Amino acid sequence: MRPAPDQEGSWLLVRGRVVTPEGVLSPGWIRITGSRIDAIGPGLPPAGQDPGLDVVDLPGQWLLPGFVDIHVHGGGGTSFTEGTGDDARNAAEFHRRHGSTTLLASLVTAPLSGLEAQAALLAGLADEGVIAGLHLEGPFLSPARRGAQDARHMLAPDPAVFDRLQAAARGHLRILTLAPELPGAIRMVQAAARAGVTVAIGHTDATAEVTSAAIDAGATHATHLFNGMRPPHHREPGAAGALLDRGEVTCEVIADGVHLHDMTIRLAARAAGPGRLVLVTDATAAAGMPDGSYRLGSVRVTVAGGVARLADEPGQAWVPGRAGDIGDAVQAGAIVGSTATMAGVVRHALAAGLPVTEVAAAASTTPARVLGIDDRTGALRPGLAADLVVCDAEFRLRAVMRQGRWLAGPPGSEVFSPPGAPSR
Ligand SMILES: [Zn+2]
């Protein structure tokens, strides 16, 4: 008997285009037992499979690993940066339905006591497995490249402050973004790396040289490459140049069609090479919501035409041409966060010309490795969690499976029922 869609079961997914780390099996099949992928193969599955398996026929549909979003502030009208546990749960649920089977909750610069309280609240959700941990995007950032963040609460890197936040997060802190040109940054990089936290470079006005020193000290990740950094110059390639130049650094890109030119995405992918690009949403509460006014930490964000920009005063909308734009350090009108989903950035990266295997690596495998959980999820491979997404031939999201359970389709689509042939 076919289990209910949201129950763990034993599934045989057939005739799909299966994107594995070694290439695309077209067609291919995946066998799932309980919460794990149990076997994968090319062509049609061999005869004599367990008759208790429920067969799902997916002719021509793409099967990709579930997405791993390591930079996301909220979605579906609520955020991780403020509000209650239920608000955070709602944001996580929104992104799961859009394909992110694993996600970090990203906090932004805020008063220290507020950050501690929010970190403690999110640590509880990490204990439950709702989120995979926390990303601290602040408070050790450069006011000169603050983007949407509140410079009043930015601090010079301070291991004592880090220890307080680390304690509040009860070991669930995974990524710390900092600006390496700030006083004390190098010591902070070393201390965080020693504590097992991935150090990311971001919201920085650093030169290439200063950035390289931070990489030497143990920084291994780039927070939304190009955005919130000084623009590369051919004689001063800046943080972006230094981060791309170093093979040990993984580089986030927000491939939403707003934050980066498609050519920039292609150049970054080519410069980074295999296993270094990471697709992220940087989504705010506004993801999935109509145009309007939203909060990101202590600042207000106005969304028009799906683009989120900083509003300089409560309720005041951005006026085109008045201040700020791509490349500008700060100010009203700066693009802040996004309204993207991982399904959206994946589709955009493919449309920008990246090959599907590279996109799957950037959306799932590499970010799982950044989190140190690539032995559990992030690829379609036997033994890993049955975290996967089904997309149609045009890469529109059709269904999401997390740990062997089908989740409902994204809002606006018909409620998901497993597609395909009747069970045998
Ligand atoms: Zn962010």
Side-chain angles (χ1 to χ4, degrees):
M1 201 178 69
R2 179 183 282 270
D6 61 342
Q7 296 297 300
E8 224 176 59
S10 296
W11 302 92
L12 188 58
L13 314 182
V14 301
R15 293 208 299 154
R17 295 189 254 190
V18 179
V19 182
T20 77
E22 288 75 39
V24 180
L25 309 175
S26 185
W29 55 273
I30 303 180
R31 196 173 65 208
I32 290 147
T33 305
S35 63
R36 315 218 143 260
I37 298 171
D38 156 70
I40 294 183
L44 292 172
Q49 301 276 340
D50 178 352
L53 285 173
D54 277 282
V55 179
V56 181
D57 191 19
L58 299 164
Q61 309 223 21
W62 291 94
L63 281 97
L64 298 159
F67 308 133
V68 178
D69 190 359
I70 61 175
H71 190 153
V72 50
H73 303 284
T78 61
S79 76
F80 302 121
T81 55
E82 67 265 304
T84 65
D86 281 346
D87 291 333
R89 258 178 237 283
N90 173 74
E93 173 66 14
F94 170 82
H95 284 287
R96 272 202 296 275
R97 282 166 176 260
H98 287 85
S100 300
T101 50
T102 302
L103 64 162
L104 284 193
S106 299
L107 294 178
V108 293
T109 304
L112 190 53
S113 56
L115 273 181
E116 281 183 302
Q118 209 61 18
L121 180 147
L122 293 170
L125 294 194
D127 287 337
E128 289 175 38
V130 175
I131 54 173
L134 277 78
H135 163 209
L136 268 183
E137 193 183 11
F140 310 135
L141 307 180
S142 163
R145 297 283 170 187
R146 68 180 181 268
Q149 298 207 21
D150 190 338
R152 289 172 304 169
H153 303 299
M154 287 179 181
L155 302 173
D158 180 348
V161 170
F162 172 78
D163 287 346
R164 277 175 63 179
L165 293 168
Q166 168 86 321
R170 287 188 280 112
H172 291 298
L173 193 52
R174 295 282 171 270
I175 300 178
L176 171 70
T177 296
L178 59 73
E181 72 274 29
L182 299 178
I186 295 297
R187 267 192 315 129
M188 187 68 256
V189 170
Q190 290 164 336
R194 256 199 318 274
V197 173
T198 295
V199 180
I201 303 298
H203 288 282
T204 171
D205 202 38
T207 59
E209 209 169 330
V210 167
T211 304
S212 297
I215 300 168
D216 291 337
T220 57
H221 189 67
T223 297
H224 45 56
L225 192 76
F226 296 112
N227 299 117
M229 297 177 183
R230 80 165 58 185
H233 181 276
H234 51 286
R235 280 187 292 276
E236 201 324 80
L243 291 159
L244 272 176
D245 188 47
R246 293 285 288 267
E248 66 267 54
V249 176
T250 41
C251 296
E252 293 177 2
V253 290
I254 311 171
D256 64 348
V258 174
H259 282 77
L260 297 172
H261 194 286
D262 286 356
M263 196 184 291
T264 310
I265 296 170
R266 286 193 295 273
L267 287 170
R270 215 172 290 148
R276 289 185 55 207
L277 202 70
V278 174
L279 295 177
V280 297
T281 61
D282 198 12
T284 63
M289 301 298 286
D291 286 356
S293 196
Y294 300 90
R295 300 194 65 82
L296 176 63
S298 60
V299 300
R300 290 178 72 82
V301 171
T302 302
V303 179
V307 179
R309 291 182 186 273
L310 186 62
D312 52 356
E313 281 171 42
Q316 190 169 344
W318 175 70
V319 178
R322 187 182 58 196
D325 209 333
I326 299 171
D328 248 355
V330 286
Q331 292 111 27
I335 297 172
V336 297
S338 83
T339 58
T341 63
M342 280 301 284
V345 299
V346 161
R347 201 156 178 245
H348 191 90
L350 290 160
L354 303 199
V356 67
T357 47
E358 276 184 38
V359 170
S364 306
T365 320
T366 305
R369 200 182 77 230
V370 171
L371 297 183
I373 56 172
D374 50 329
D375 57 342
R376 282 178 267 156
T377 189
L380 298 181
R381 176 183 286 154
L384 299 195
D387 294 340
L388 59 87
V389 299
V390 180
C391 295
D392 69 14
E394 281 78 47
F395 288 102
R396 281 184 293 258
L397 189 68
R398 288 286 314 278
V400 182
M401 175 180 272
R402 185 171 186 250
Q403 295 178 1
R405 295 166 197 260
W406 292 106
L407 308 182
S413 74
E414 53 193 303
V415 173
F416 173 69
S417 60
S423 58
R424 57 182 186 193

